[in-house]
C-alpha cells in the first residue's frame, strides 16, 4: 500500500472539532431571552453575554485557525 499525502492529519481534525465545539459553546452562552416592546429584560446586558461568550467564541476561532495552519508531523 502506498501512503497518501493529505493536507491534514488526525490531530488537525481533532483540533478543528474542538474549536468548533468551543465556538458553538460561545454562541450558546450568548443566547437567551430578549427584551420585548412591553417587557424589559436586563439580562441582555449580563457579563456572560457581552464579555464571556464573545471571548469564548474568539478562542474557538483562534484554535480553528491554528488547526488549519498547523503542519502535520512527517
Amino acid at each position: 500500500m502506498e501512503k497518501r499525502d493529505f493536507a491534514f492529519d488526525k490531530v488537525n481534525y481533532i483540533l478543528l472539532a474542538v474549536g468548533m465545539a468551543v465556538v458553538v459553546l460561545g454562541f450558546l452562552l450568548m443566547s437567551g431571552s430578549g427584551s420585548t416592546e412591553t417587557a424589559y429584560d436586563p439580562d441582555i446586558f449580563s457579563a456572560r453575554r457581552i464579555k464571556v461568550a464573545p471571548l469564548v467564541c474568539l478562542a474557538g476561532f483562534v484554535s480553528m485557525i491554528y488547526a488549519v495552519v498547523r503542519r502535520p508531523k512527517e
Side-chain angles (χ1 to χ4, degrees):
M1 273 236 212
E2 62 185 68
K3 185 180 180 209
R4 296 182 184 172
D5 292 327
F6 291 113
F8 293 157
D9 63 349
K10 184 179 179 180
V11 177
N12 288 77
Y13 287 115
I14 291 171
L15 289 174
L16 274 171
V18 168
M20 182 65 109
V22 170
V23 170
V24 169
L25 175 68
F27 277 104
L28 288 174
L29 287 173
M30 273 190 251
S31 68
S33 64
S35 293
T36 62
E37 291 183 18
T38 58
Y40 172 70
D41 184 14
D43 190 43
I44 61 172
F45 298 112
S46 69
R48 174 185 59 104
R49 283 181 151 178
I50 63 172
K51 293 179 183 174
V52 176
L55 289 176
V56 170
C57 287
L58 179 66
F61 285 125
V62 168
S63 67
M64 289 175 66
I65 290 170
Y66 172 73
V68 170
V69 174
R70 180 187 171 276
R71 286 186 179 218
K73 299 201 179 191
E74 296 180 19

